[in-house]
Amino acid sequence: MQNSIALVVATRNKGKTSEIRELLKDFPIEIKNLDDFGPIPQVEEDGDTFDENAYKKASFTARILGYPALADDSGLLVDALDGAPGVYSARYAGENATDEERYAKILQEIKGKTNRKAAFECVISIAVPTGPALTYEARCEGVIAEQPSGSNGFGYDPIFYYPELKKTFAELTQEEKNSVSHRGKAFREVQEEFDKILIWIRQNMPVQEKFICSED
Ligand SMILES: O=c1[nH]c(=O)c2ncn([C@@H]3O[C@H](COP(=O)(O)OP(=O)(O)OP(=O)(O)O)[C@@H](O)[C@H]3O)c2[nH]1
Ligand SMILES: [Mg+2]
């Protein structure tokens, strides 16, 4: 039997975790969540870009846990709000606000505007404990709906209308969303390069024993 690599998915967002697990399900790796470990400090996401924050989350987690780690930093960019909420998407209506409060704020702010174009962006960083990382990014364009609709997904999905499927992201199944979303597109690139990524991880990991699990 071949040995497989363990990879920690460094996110505390349950909606993302579920999508990422689905997107990685056919990969020959053992996926670990942050919950598989004891409490670890939270990274401050104070970067100005998705790239910076994705790298911070992945490299911090890899360094603390000693495993290769994958992080996703993503967000919604609304044209009429000059690209807001962008990197502040998770805390746009305050640290403890609910998803409903966040998207209600957007709907309120763009009330009456004719340009309702928006996009989701996603940057994936795969890092090893010594610091180097690989980056993948993608974008998905849509428009902000007049009112929320649908109960699937997470975050701003109920107000993100995807014209090609004539539905909001929250009206799509997880499989449908992954087939067109920013996250799905970025993971498709990961998938295409997967053999190279595995070689890169093996070459860059300092202690081989810790992250290689034997399959039986
Ligand atoms: O409707 C949505 N559908 C999506 O597909 C999506 N992807 C990202 N987002 C929003 O952007 C924030 C990311 O911020 P973020 O990357 O810092 O993640 P997070 O703080 O939620 O978790 P973590 O991964 O940092 O632990 C999230 O909280 C959401 O508000 C999405 N909203
Ligand atoms: Mg975050």
Side-chain angles (χ1 to χ4, degrees), residues 115-138:
N115 179 1
R116 298 185 73 91
K117 283 188 190 161
F120 274 124
E121 288 185 359
C122 172
V123 176
I124 304 289
S125 176
I126 300 175
V128 290
T130 46
L134 301 173
T135 306
Y136 299 87
E137 45 192 281

mmCIF file of all heavy atoms in Angstrom, residues 115-138:
data_model
loop_
_atom_site.group_PDB
_atom_site.id
_atom_site.type_symbol
_atom_site.label_atom_id
_atom_site.label_comp_id
_atom_site.label_asym_id
_atom_site.label_seq_id
_atom_site.Cartn_x
_atom_site.Cartn_y
_atom_site.Cartn_z
ATOM 1 N N ASN A 115 -26.381 49.552 -10.672
ATOM 2 C CA ASN A 115 -25.342 48.533 -10.883
ATOM 3 C C ASN A 115 -25.322 47.572 -9.697
ATOM 4 O O ASN A 115 -24.920 47.936 -8.598
ATOM 5 C CB ASN A 115 -23.977 49.215 -11.033
ATOM 6 C CG ASN A 115 -22.853 48.209 -11.220
ATOM 7 O OD1 ASN A 115 -23.099 46.991 -11.260
ATOM 8 N ND2 ASN A 115 -21.631 48.695 -11.345
ATOM 9 N N ARG A 116 -25.781 46.334 -9.921
ATOM 10 C CA ARG A 116 -25.825 45.352 -8.829
ATOM 11 C C ARG A 116 -24.796 44.240 -9.050
ATOM 12 O O ARG A 116 -24.872 43.179 -8.453
ATOM 13 C CB ARG A 116 -27.243 44.784 -8.686
ATOM 14 C CG ARG A 116 -28.247 45.886 -8.336
ATOM 15 C CD ARG A 116 -29.621 45.334 -8.070
ATOM 16 N NE ARG A 116 -29.753 44.641 -6.801
ATOM 17 C CZ ARG A 116 -30.131 45.216 -5.662
ATOM 18 N NH1 ARG A 116 -30.409 46.500 -5.618
ATOM 19 N NH2 ARG A 116 -30.241 44.495 -4.553
ATOM 20 N N LYS A 117 -23.800 44.518 -9.922
ATOM 21 C CA LYS A 117 -22.785 43.482 -10.200
ATOM 22 C C LYS A 117 -21.925 43.220 -8.963
ATOM 23 O O LYS A 117 -21.582 44.150 -8.215
ATOM 24 C CB LYS A 117 -21.865 43.944 -11.319
ATOM 25 C CG LYS A 117 -22.493 43.827 -12.680
ATOM 26 C CD LYS A 117 -21.443 44.118 -13.726
ATOM 27 C CE LYS A 117 -22.076 44.262 -15.086
ATOM 28 N NZ LYS A 117 -21.201 44.967 -16.017
ATOM 29 N N ALA A 118 -21.551 41.936 -8.796
ATOM 30 C CA ALA A 118 -20.705 41.551 -7.657
ATOM 31 C C ALA A 118 -19.898 40.327 -8.061
ATOM 32 O O ALA A 118 -20.183 39.692 -9.097
ATOM 33 C CB ALA A 118 -21.577 41.220 -6.453
ATOM 34 N N ALA A 119 -18.905 40.007 -7.265
ATOM 35 C CA ALA A 119 -18.119 38.790 -7.534
ATOM 36 C C ALA A 119 -17.638 38.212 -6.219
ATOM 37 O O ALA A 119 -17.416 38.947 -5.256
ATOM 38 C CB ALA A 119 -16.926 39.125 -8.424
ATOM 39 N N PHE A 120 -17.510 36.892 -6.196
ATOM 40 C CA PHE A 120 -16.821 36.228 -5.095
ATOM 41 C C PHE A 120 -15.407 35.943 -5.560
ATOM 42 O O PHE A 120 -15.195 35.526 -6.716
ATOM 43 C CB PHE A 120 -17.467 34.880 -4.768
ATOM 44 C CG PHE A 120 -18.631 34.953 -3.818
ATOM 45 C CD1 PHE A 120 -19.868 34.430 -4.175
ATOM 46 C CD2 PHE A 120 -18.478 35.496 -2.545
ATOM 47 C CE1 PHE A 120 -20.938 34.463 -3.298
ATOM 48 C CE2 PHE A 120 -19.547 35.535 -1.660
ATOM 49 C CZ PHE A 120 -20.778 35.021 -2.042
ATOM 50 N N GLU A 121 -14.439 36.140 -4.681
ATOM 51 C CA GLU A 121 -13.059 35.749 -4.993
ATOM 52 C C GLU A 121 -12.575 34.794 -3.916
ATOM 53 O O GLU A 121 -12.974 34.896 -2.751
ATOM 54 C CB GLU A 121 -12.146 36.965 -5.071
ATOM 55 C CG GLU A 121 -12.426 37.784 -6.320
ATOM 56 C CD GLU A 121 -11.474 38.953 -6.532
ATOM 57 O OE1 GLU A 121 -10.568 39.166 -5.700
ATOM 58 O OE2 GLU A 121 -11.649 39.669 -7.538
ATOM 59 N N CYS A 122 -11.674 33.902 -4.327
ATOM 60 C CA CYS A 122 -11.148 32.907 -3.392
ATOM 61 C C CYS A 122 -9.666 32.689 -3.667
ATOM 62 O O CYS A 122 -9.266 32.538 -4.825
ATOM 63 C CB CYS A 122 -11.893 31.591 -3.608
ATOM 64 S SG CYS A 122 -11.215 30.194 -2.701
ATOM 65 N N VAL A 123 -8.868 32.736 -2.615
ATOM 66 C CA VAL A 123 -7.451 32.382 -2.739
ATOM 67 C C VAL A 123 -7.174 31.194 -1.818
ATOM 68 O O VAL A 123 -7.533 31.212 -0.640
ATOM 69 C CB VAL A 123 -6.534 33.568 -2.359
ATOM 70 C CG1 VAL A 123 -5.074 33.136 -2.397
ATOM 71 C CG2 VAL A 123 -6.749 34.740 -3.309
ATOM 72 N N ILE A 124 -6.572 30.173 -2.387
ATOM 73 C CA ILE A 124 -6.188 28.982 -1.623
ATOM 74 C C ILE A 124 -4.673 29.020 -1.446
ATOM 75 O O ILE A 124 -3.935 29.184 -2.423
ATOM 76 C CB ILE A 124 -6.502 27.679 -2.414
ATOM 77 C CG1 ILE A 124 -7.966 27.597 -2.829
ATOM 78 C CG2 ILE A 124 -6.058 26.437 -1.649
ATOM 79 C CD1 ILE A 124 -8.900 27.360 -1.715
ATOM 80 N N SER A 125 -4.236 28.843 -0.213
ATOM 81 C CA SER A 125 -2.797 28.751 0.037
ATOM 82 C C SER A 125 -2.506 27.388 0.645
ATOM 83 O O SER A 125 -3.198 26.957 1.570
ATOM 84 C CB SER A 125 -2.382 29.874 1.004
ATOM 85 O OG SER A 125 -1.022 29.750 1.332
ATOM 86 N N ILE A 126 -1.498 26.706 0.102
ATOM 87 C CA ILE A 126 -1.068 25.416 0.663
ATOM 88 C C ILE A 126 0.360 25.623 1.153
ATOM 89 O O ILE A 126 1.250 25.937 0.363
ATOM 90 C CB ILE A 126 -1.116 24.294 -0.397
ATOM 91 C CG1 ILE A 126 -2.550 24.130 -0.936
ATOM 92 C CG2 ILE A 126 -0.594 22.971 0.186
ATOM 93 C CD1 ILE A 126 -2.690 23.134 -2.070
ATOM 94 N N ALA A 127 0.545 25.508 2.471
ATOM 95 C CA ALA A 127 1.854 25.841 3.048
ATOM 96 C C ALA A 127 2.446 24.670 3.828
ATOM 97 O O ALA A 127 1.722 23.802 4.322
ATOM 98 C CB ALA A 127 1.718 27.047 3.979
ATOM 99 N N VAL A 128 3.751 24.673 3.928
ATOM 100 C CA VAL A 128 4.465 23.695 4.770
ATOM 101 C C VAL A 128 5.055 24.453 5.973
ATOM 102 O O VAL A 128 5.167 25.685 5.927
ATOM 103 C CB VAL A 128 5.575 22.969 3.961
ATOM 104 C CG1 VAL A 128 4.970 22.037 2.934
ATOM 105 C CG2 VAL A 128 6.519 23.963 3.299
ATOM 106 N N PRO A 129 5.419 23.721 7.052
ATOM 107 C CA PRO A 129 5.832 24.403 8.288
ATOM 108 C C PRO A 129 7.035 25.328 8.138
ATOM 109 O O PRO A 129 7.185 26.276 8.902
ATOM 110 C CB PRO A 129 6.167 23.245 9.233
ATOM 111 C CG PRO A 129 5.366 22.099 8.713
ATOM 112 C CD PRO A 129 5.308 22.267 7.237
ATOM 113 N N THR A 130 7.898 25.075 7.161
ATOM 114 C CA THR A 130 9.085 25.933 7.019
ATOM 115 C C THR A 130 8.777 27.248 6.287
ATOM 116 O O THR A 130 9.667 28.082 6.135
ATOM 117 C CB THR A 130 10.189 25.181 6.252
ATOM 118 O OG1 THR A 130 9.579 24.561 5.122
ATOM 119 C CG2 THR A 130 10.865 24.149 7.133
ATOM 120 N N GLY A 131 7.551 27.434 5.790
ATOM 121 C CA GLY A 131 7.198 28.735 5.212
ATOM 122 C C GLY A 131 6.759 28.769 3.763
ATOM 123 O O GLY A 131 5.827 29.501 3.440
ATOM 124 N N PRO A 132 7.409 28.017 2.852
ATOM 125 C CA PRO A 132 6.985 28.128 1.450
ATOM 126 C C PRO A 132 5.513 27.736 1.254
ATOM 127 O O PRO A 132 4.978 26.938 2.015
ATOM 128 C CB PRO A 132 7.885 27.137 0.707
ATOM 129 C CG PRO A 132 8.978 26.809 1.637
ATOM 130 C CD PRO A 132 8.493 27.064 3.024
ATOM 131 N N ALA A 133 4.914 28.319 0.217
ATOM 132 C CA ALA A 133 3.502 28.025 -0.040
ATOM 133 C C ALA A 133 3.190 28.075 -1.528
ATOM 134 O O ALA A 133 3.904 28.719 -2.297
ATOM 135 C CB ALA A 133 2.632 29.036 0.699
ATOM 136 N N LEU A 134 2.116 27.404 -1.902
ATOM 137 C CA LEU A 134 1.599 27.459 -3.272
ATOM 138 C C LEU A 134 0.274 28.214 -3.209
ATOM 139 O O LEU A 134 -0.461 28.097 -2.223
ATOM 140 C CB LEU A 134 1.348 26.047 -3.801
ATOM 141 C CG LEU A 134 2.554 25.105 -3.830
ATOM 142 C CD1 LEU A 134 2.110 23.692 -4.227
ATOM 143 C CD2 LEU A 134 3.608 25.621 -4.808
ATOM 144 N N THR A 135 -0.036 28.952 -4.268
ATOM 145 C CA THR A 135 -1.257 29.773 -4.260
ATOM 146 C C THR A 135 -2.122 29.505 -5.493
ATOM 147 O O THR A 135 -1.597 29.391 -6.603
ATOM 148 C CB THR A 135 -0.866 31.276 -4.276
ATOM 149 O OG1 THR A 135 0.015 31.504 -3.186
ATOM 150 C CG2 THR A 135 -2.064 32.175 -4.119
ATOM 151 N N TYR A 136 -3.421 29.424 -5.272
ATOM 152 C CA TYR A 136 -4.388 29.232 -6.367
ATOM 153 C C TYR A 136 -5.514 30.230 -6.145
ATOM 154 O O TYR A 136 -5.949 30.416 -5.018
ATOM 155 C CB TYR A 136 -4.944 27.805 -6.341
ATOM 156 C CG TYR A 136 -3.846 26.795 -6.514
ATOM 157 C CD1 TYR A 136 -3.142 26.328 -5.412
ATOM 158 C CD2 TYR A 136 -3.461 26.374 -7.778
ATOM 159 C CE1 TYR A 136 -2.082 25.453 -5.569
ATOM 160 C CE2 TYR A 136 -2.401 25.492 -7.937
ATOM 161 C CZ TYR A 136 -1.715 25.036 -6.835
ATOM 162 O OH TYR A 136 -0.668 24.182 -6.996
ATOM 163 N N GLU A 137 -5.982 30.869 -7.220
ATOM 164 C CA GLU A 137 -7.068 31.821 -6.998
ATOM 165 C C GLU A 137 -8.098 31.801 -8.115
ATOM 166 O O GLU A 137 -7.782 31.425 -9.253
ATOM 167 C CB GLU A 137 -6.527 33.228 -6.795
ATOM 168 C CG GLU A 137 -5.444 33.666 -7.753
ATOM 169 C CD GLU A 137 -4.800 34.957 -7.253
ATOM 170 O OE1 GLU A 137 -5.414 36.010 -7.463
ATOM 171 O OE2 GLU A 137 -3.715 34.876 -6.651
ATOM 172 N N ALA A 138 -9.312 32.178 -7.770
ATOM 173 C CA ALA A 138 -10.376 32.202 -8.780
ATOM 174 C C ALA A 138 -11.467 33.186 -8.377
ATOM 175 O O ALA A 138 -11.553 33.607 -7.216
ATOM 176 C CB ALA A 138 -10.964 30.810 -8.963
#
